[in-house]
Amino acid sequence: MPMPQVPFDDRGLAYGDGLFETVLLRDGQPVLWEYHHARLSKGCQRLNIPLPSARQLSQAWQAPPRAALEVLKLILTRGSGGRGYAIPNQVAPRLMTRRTPFTTNETHWREGVCVRMCQLRLGHQPLLAGIKHLNRLENVLARQEWQEPDIAEGLLTDQASNVVEATSMNLFWSSEGRLYTPYIDRCGVEGTLRAALLSEGLIHESRLSAAALSSVERLWVGNSVQGVWPVRELRDAHGSRLAAWPRFKADPLQVAAHRLLGYPGTFLS
Amino acid sequence: MPMPQVPFDDRGLAYGDGLFETVLLRDGQPVLWEYHHARLSKGCQRLNIPLPSARQLSQAWQAPPRAALEVLKLILTRGSGGRGYAIPNQVAPRLMTRRTPFTTNETHWREGVCVRMCQLRLGHQPLLAGIKHLNRLENVLARQEWQEPDIAEGLLTDQASNVVEATSMNLFWSSEGRLYTPYIDRCGVEGTLRAALLSEGLIHESRLSAAALSSVERLWVGNSVQGVWPVRELRDAHGSRLAAWPRFKADPLQVAAHRLLGYPGTFLS
């Protein structure tokens, strides 16, 4: 299948005027689709872009799978035109999809990962917080802060020095046996795995300052494609160790999350 | 000439990972090109995208003009690929251009315009402030706040309630005979007309609170394509008049700016 193209005057290219979703396909069927659909719908409302029909969206998984696990990337732009930032009178959104085979990182599931703090602080923009829009330069810049292959993710704080998320994953921590994730009301993306865990009452929203991060009981990063990675070590933006956590004997967050994703749920040593 | 296209995996489309310039061409030659080039160069440094050579860039105005005035839009993306937000090992930036005939709005030059305050507040992100990157959803959302054709621009404040710019123009005001423009250090775009006026010492950078806006001596919006529009009336985000200014007898800012752009410089009544 040839790769879709967009013309020069597509507003997704010109202004990042659109949304995307990255969906795990298992045996050709989308996982947590209702949460992806809900986020896409919320994004369309915020940006005032017509939401494609369920039938249009489901075209993306009509072809037979090429692998047991695939990643479906879906991009929806406002389409072409308009004078400058003003939107066209007649909007014809452009929906494009692409599927690529995917392999999970079982070592990260089992052994946990090393993460670092990013220097970039996310700006506050409540109108764009939560949705998965195409304006992702903050993530791109943050991801350029490190090249070391042993660092699996970078953690992002906001202008108020609260921890928000990782560059492409949500963040989870535990305190006194309860599981938490940061509010995504000023910046950041509401991941679909996070949404599903919240919806089932398994995690709770809270705020966590960067200063308090090193002393949480446990820390995880995760999303709906990769699953959940326990954090074993946290470094600052200069590479110095801030904290380390022992390998978990049991992992309630990973078990719950992987049950939702259809991944193996526990890696007891 | 067919419209350029970009593939699905172009990072300009995927993440807004790129820059653009909108350049006035007079008789096929770019106006204020050194300032456009300087801003593009600064943007490439900030985003870590290789800057195309002067020869590559100047290809955009090698074809003969189709009109005395044209607008050249230039988009530079980081090119294709990379896993997620991480940039590819080999970056092949994509440079695309398009020229369209342009007509000035002489009524706006002569009579001035009505502008309104936008409700959206620009988020602070110093790493992206000033450069003309492709993450422009704040501008797109702000421009959706009004449809009235008699409103020529919307003014944007930041999270600290300072006035920053208009949705697609810079802002200028006068106080005790001196000309000012807001600092663009936390958010907003450093327009090339603004840069040229600063470089010539004709205007000065300062801060202006939204509360103080109504009581400035004079107010203007302007950019390197449209020139300078005096503001005759300022409305709030609900359409109520906040302030009005008489038609200027002489306009030192418009004279100076239009001299730089090659436009007629004064519209004395």
Side-chain angles (χ1 to χ4, degrees):
Chain A
M1 183 133 81
M3 197 181 292
Q5 307 251 330
V6 302
F8 186 85
D9 69 353
D10 183 273
R11 296 175 60 100
L13 172 63
Y15 307 131
D17 192 3
L19 302 156
F20 71 112
E21 291 291 332
T22 308
V23 184
L24 180 66
L25 297 187
R26 177 182 303 287
D27 301 323
Q29 292 303 306
V31 176
L32 297 185
W33 174 249
E34 67 180 288
Y35 294 96
H36 287 286
H37 188 265
R39 181 173 60 186
L40 187 65
S41 172
K42 185 177 178 175
C44 284
Q45 281 183 2
R46 289 262 197 98
L47 302 187
N48 187 28
I49 294 176
L51 179 69
S53 70
R55 201 188 57 77
Q56 284 175 292
L57 292 166
S58 68
Q59 290 297 314
W61 55 87
Q62 295 311 306
R66 291 187 296 154
L69 294 180
E70 294 166 284
V71 171
L72 165 65
K73 180 161 181 177
L74 179 160
I75 296 179
L76 175 68
T77 75
R78 199 186 301 272
S80 285
R83 286 169 301 118
Y85 297 123
I87 64 174
N89 291 327
Q90 292 292 324
V91 172
R94 201 167 264 128
L95 175 66
M96 294 152 282
T97 60
R98 193 179 176 209
R99 286 162 65 166
T100 47
F102 175 70
T103 310
T104 58
N105 192 321
E106 303 201 10
T107 307
H108 282 3
W109 286 349
R110 195 170 52 238
E111 306 290 337
V113 296
C114 176
V115 303
R116 55 160 270 162
M117 301 305 298
C118 291
Q119 290 188 292
L120 179 142
R121 284 162 179 249
L122 295 170
H124 289 173
Q125 183 46 271
L127 298 178
L128 296 174
I131 64 175
K132 206 166 168 84
H133 55 71
L134 296 175
N135 279 197
R136 300 263 72 105
L137 272 175
E138 288 185 321
N139 307 66
V140 171
L141 288 182
R143 185 59 190 82
Q144 287 190 54
E145 288 189 26
W146 81 94
Q147 274 79 46
E148 301 90 328
D150 65 321
I151 296 189
E153 256 291 13
L155 306 190
L156 290 159
T157 55
D158 67 5
Q159 312 271 342
S161 296
N162 289 312
V163 189
V164 178
E165 62 184 4
T167 67
S168 64
M169 294 178 137
N170 283 119
L171 188 73
F172 309 92
W173 76 94
S174 69
S175 174
E176 300 183 359
R178 269 167 76 92
L179 297 168
Y180 295 95
T181 192
Y183 282 105
I184 304 287
D185 50 352
R186 300 168 181 165
C187 48
V189 177
E190 288 175 346
T192 52
L193 175 61
R194 175 186 179 279
L197 291 165
L198 278 170
S199 169
E200 300 214 355
L202 297 165
I203 62 174
H204 308 273
E205 290 176 301
S206 184
R207 299 225 191 265
L208 181 66
S209 71
L213 184 61
S214 303
S215 42
V216 298
E217 286 170 10
R218 293 182 178 186
L219 193 63
W220 297 265
V221 290
N223 66 30
S224 65
V225 171
Q226 296 286 357
V228 166
W229 298 341
V231 174
R232 294 289 303 278
E233 183 182 338
L234 172 66
R235 296 187 196 156
D236 68 16
H238 306 288
S240 301
R241 178 181 286 193
L242 287 174
W245 291 268
R247 206 159 138 186
F248 305 156
K249 292 262 171 52
D251 190 332
L253 180 67
Q254 194 181 65
V255 167
H258 285 200
R259 178 177 52 74
L260 290 168
L261 300 174
Y263 286 150
T266 184
F267 294 91
L268 304 183
S269 22
Chain B
M1 185 133 88
M3 197 182 293
Q5 306 252 328
V6 303
F8 185 85
D9 68 354
D10 184 273
R11 295 174 61 98
L13 172 63
Y15 307 131
D17 192 2
L19 301 156
F20 71 113
E21 291 290 332
T22 308
V23 184
L24 180 66
L25 298 186
R26 176 184 303 286
D27 301 323
Q29 292 303 306
V31 176
L32 297 184
W33 174 248
E34 67 178 289
Y35 293 96
H36 288 285
H37 188 265
R39 181 172 62 186
L40 186 66
S41 171
K42 184 176 178 176
C44 283
Q45 281 183 2
R46 290 262 196 98
L47 302 187
N48 186 28
I49 293 176
L51 179 68
S53 69
R55 202 188 55 77
Q56 285 175 292
L57 292 167
S58 68
Q59 290 297 313
W61 55 86
Q62 294 311 306
R66 290 188 296 152
L69 293 179
E70 294 166 284
V71 171
L72 164 66
K73 181 161 180 176
L74 179 160
I75 297 180
L76 176 69
T77 77
R78 198 186 302 273
S80 285
R83 287 168 302 117
Y85 297 123
I87 65 175
N89 291 327
Q90 293 291 326
V91 171
R94 201 167 264 128
L95 175 65
M96 293 152 284
T97 59
R98 193 180 175 210
R99 286 161 65 167
T100 46
F102 176 69
T103 309
T104 58
N105 192 321
E106 303 200 11
T107 307
H108 283 3
W109 286 348
R110 195 170 49 237
E111 305 292 335
V113 296
C114 176
V115 303
R116 54 160 271 160
M117 301 304 298
C118 291
Q119 290 189 292
L120 179 142
R121 284 162 180 249
L122 295 170
H124 289 174
Q125 183 47 269
L127 299 177
L128 296 175
I131 64 175
K132 205 165 168 85
H133 56 71
L134 297 174
N135 279 199
R136 300 263 73 105
L137 272 176
E138 288 186 319
N139 306 65
V140 171
L141 289 182
R143 185 58 190 83
Q144 287 189 56
E145 288 190 28
W146 81 95
Q147 273 79 45
E148 300 91 328
D150 64 321
I151 296 189
E153 256 291 13
L155 305 190
L156 290 159
T157 55
D158 68 4
Q159 312 270 339
S161 296
N162 289 313
V163 188
V164 178
E165 62 185 4
T167 67
S168 64
M169 293 178 140
N170 283 119
L171 188 72
F172 309 92
W173 77 93
S174 68
S175 175
E176 299 181 2
R178 269 168 75 92
L179 298 168
Y180 296 95
T181 192
Y183 282 106
I184 305 288
D185 50 351
R186 303 168 179 164
C187 48
V189 176
E190 288 174 345
T192 51
L193 174 61
R194 176 186 178 278
L197 290 165
L198 278 169
S199 169
E200 301 215 355
L202 297 165
I203 62 174
H204 308 274
E205 290 177 300
S206 184
R207 299 225 190 265
L208 180 68
S209 72
L213 184 61
S214 303
S215 41
V216 298
E217 286 170 8
R218 293 181 179 188
L219 193 64
W220 297 264
V221 290
N223 66 30
S224 64
V225 171
Q226 297 287 357
V228 166
W229 299 340
V231 175
R232 295 287 305 275
E233 182 181 338
L234 172 66
R235 297 187 195 156
D236 69 15
H238 306 289
S240 301
R241 178 182 285 192
L242 287 173
W245 290 268
R247 207 161 140 187
F248 304 157
K249 292 257 171 58
D251 190 332
L253 180 68
Q254 194 181 65
V255 168
H258 285 201
R259 180 177 52 75
L260 290 167
L261 299 174
Y263 286 151
T266 184
F267 294 91
L268 304 184
S269 23

